[in-house]
Amino acid sequence: MAVKTLYMFGFVGLTALSVQGQAALYAQCGGIGWTGATTCATGAVCTDINSYYYQCLPASSATSVGGGSPTTSTVSVSSPTSTCGATPPSSAGTLKYAGVNIAGFDFGCDTSGDCTASGAYPPLAQYYGADGIGQMTHFVNDDKFNIFRLPVGWQYLTNNVLTGTLDETNFAEYDTLVQGCLGTGASCIVDIHNYARWNGQIIGQGGPSNEIFASLWSSIATKYASQPKVIFGIMNEPHDLPSIPLWAGTVQAAVTAIRQAGATSQLVLLPGDNWTSAATFVSGGSADALNNVTNPDGSTTGLIMDVHKYLDSDNSGTNAECVTDNIASAWQPLSQWLRCNGRQALNTETGGGNVASCETYMCQQIDYQAQNSDVILGYVGWAAGNFAASYVLGETPTQSGTTWTDTALVSTCMAPSANGVAA
């Protein structure tokens, strides 16, 4: 489990849900096993996304079931080859992305998805937080990082209202960090940090509906549709999901909303169950379920599997010492599945303490990922931003005048300028 704070959850039993009447815009309206509404509200058309998921899309941009896939622009990111096997091609060897999480807007959220907008701590100097933009500028210029993940709570973006409509004041503050990230020339991941939940209730499985979640992503994607370096991280660390196929339907709703909002060229990250663990992504069923998620045109181009993997004894990301490089348990089986299915993954959370064991094992993990860079795009370390220097997995650099000093793990292993295998 890649978690910063652990909470125990009881198993939530869900009975089959029956949806009465017509489905709302962006809601599910059909697919294998679907028992809810199969017609859409006025102005929307039930559209065949794939055999497991039909969705109500705006009539102006969708073709109804039986009439083919909806029309949309094809994303421009190239897909990997589908050559199956454990051996990477000779072209592998350099990771496309290496970066750091810039935390703060996610503060106030716990692993039940219980967040309060007032608990957020923007990593921006003008809001009395750390200088997150200065950190990113240093990371790019001095360390050669080229991607940053910017976690934020759903409740912060909507000011504690369960809706897909952004609170313009709060969003403007978050957008300040996004624009600062873009200003460095790096790619920037917008990450909803809610663990597949809103205040303890699972999205699409007894909690907020898929259409509300899709409307949130439609609102965000509309803001960044013209920004090719914005990457959409649909959800941080889903866990204890009663149904992974139903979760794949929720992810599909978000993907379709993003693409229909005009963001057709950016990467979208697809998160699985069990804290998005790279070790259980295949064995736990997330890989096969998410493999059915497609763009509205039926392609999977630009849809990247989102995985996490820490290196401590219980995979929690709460211990300073590292005990494994995760290669045999996680990266080998995942790489083979990705290659056999023509897919790619991005490791958006990994990290360890600033100790010798982590320098050894993290370097080994990164080296293996680079050797398989045809299917593993890179890694993003946890975490800098508003984390204090005493934080066990801290990657926050210290500043003295115009000089920034990195933590031990960053300077010896994680920075591309140090490891020579990233970006």
Side-chain angles (χ1 to χ4, degrees):
M1 296 181 295
V3 296
K4 276 61 71 179
T5 307
L6 296 178
Y7 290 81
M8 295 300 294
F9 291 89
F11 179 80
V12 180
L14 294 179
T15 56
L17 299 178
S18 177
V19 180
Q20 303 298 321
Q22 293 181 316
L25 181 66
Y26 295 122
Q28 185 171 359
C29 56
I32 296 174
W34 176 246
T35 59
T38 56
T39 60
C40 299
T42 302
V45 177
C46 190
T47 305
D48 182 353
I49 303 300
N50 59 52
S51 59
Y52 290 88
Y53 194 82
Y54 300 171
Q55 185 176 30
C56 292
L57 296 179
S60 60
S61 61
T63 303
S64 63
V65 174
S69 299
T71 301
T72 187
S73 300
T74 302
V75 292
S76 61
V77 180
S78 61
S79 296
T81 62
S82 58
T83 303
C84 186
T87 303
S90 58
S91 58
T94 302
L95 292 167
K96 183 174 183 178
Y97 296 114
V100 182
N101 281 266
I102 307 297
F105 278 106
D106 56 313
F107 288 12
C109 294
D110 63 27
T111 56
S112 70
D114 188 353
C115 304
T116 57
S118 62
Y121 187 14
L124 295 164
Q126 62 264 50
Y127 301 116
Y128 307 102
D131 185 6
I133 295 175
Q135 291 177 17
M136 290 186 286
T137 301
H138 153 68
F139 282 138
V140 170
N141 293 341
D142 300 333
D143 295 326
K144 308 309 176 186
F145 285 111
N146 65 357
I147 190 171
F148 299 102
R149 185 169 177 253
L150 312 176
V152 62
W154 181 352
Q155 287 89 333
Y156 182 81
L157 292 176
T158 61
N159 200 23
N160 297 320
V161 178
L162 180 53
T163 178
T165 302
L166 300 172
D167 179 270
E168 290 300 328
T169 299
N170 286 8
F171 178 77
E173 292 188 6
Y174 178 70
D175 184 57
T176 299
L177 187 66
V178 176
Q179 297 303 324
C181 175
L182 292 171
T184 69
S187 295
C188 311
I189 302 172
V190 174
D191 160 54
I192 304 301
H193 215 76
N194 276 68
Y195 303 89
R197 290 159 168 79
W198 173 284
N199 294 347
Q201 301 299 308
I202 298 173
I203 302 166
Q205 301 187 51
S209 65
N210 285 353
E211 53 264 36
I212 291 177
F213 187 55
S215 69
L216 173 70
W217 272 113
S218 180
S219 298
I220 295 170
T222 297
K223 297 286 188 180
Y224 297 120
S226 64
Q227 294 287 354
K229 288 195 172 183
V230 167
I231 297 172
F232 302 109
I234 286 177
M235 180 56 61
N236 176 70
E237 294 186 348
H239 64 87
D240 299 290
L241 300 175
S243 171
I244 295 175
L246 283 181
W247 172 246
T250 300
V251 173
Q252 179 67 72
V255 168
T256 304
I258 289 168
R259 298 307 192 206
Q260 290 291 329
T264 58
S265 64
Q266 295 95 328
L267 299 183
V268 181
L269 306 180
L270 314 183
D273 194 16
N274 195 27
W275 316 90
T276 60
S277 170
T280 61
F281 194 76
V282 177
S283 62
S286 293
D288 285 341
L290 293 175
N291 208 22
N292 291 312
V293 175
T294 67
N295 294 307
D297 64 2
S299 73
T300 58
T301 309
L303 303 183
I304 307 301
M305 302 303 180
D306 191 358
V307 295
H308 293 176
K309 200 72 182 76
Y310 288 88
L311 295 81
D312 53 356
S313 59
D314 59 0
N315 192 41
S316 66
T318 61
N319 304 291
E321 294 291 339
C322 296
V323 300
T324 177
D325 58 19
N326 294 309
I327 292 172
S329 63
W331 300 114
Q332 284 180 343
L334 177 61
S335 295
Q336 182 161 359
W337 183 90
L338 292 167
R339 198 167 288 119
C340 288
N341 287 273
R343 304 306 296 265
Q344 294 174 314
L346 179 61
N347 183 14
T348 59
E349 271 192 38
T350 190
N354 292 290
V355 296
S357 63
C358 292
E359 292 176 17
T360 297
Y361 288 119
M362 181 62 75
C363 283
Q364 291 173 358
Q365 175 175 279
I366 291 173
D367 284 345
Y368 183 84
Q369 291 172 339
Q371 292 165 19
N372 291 269
S373 61
D374 59 311
V375 292
I376 301 175
L377 294 180
Y379 60 89
V380 188
W382 186 270
N386 264 334
F387 278 113
S390 59
Y391 175 53
V392 66
L393 300 189
E395 296 184 2
T396 305
T398 56
Q399 182 182 17
S400 177
T402 59
T403 301
W404 293 85
T405 302
D406 285 315
T407 62
L409 189 60
V410 169
S411 62
T412 61
C413 188
M414 300 193 75
S417 59
N419 62 40
V421 297

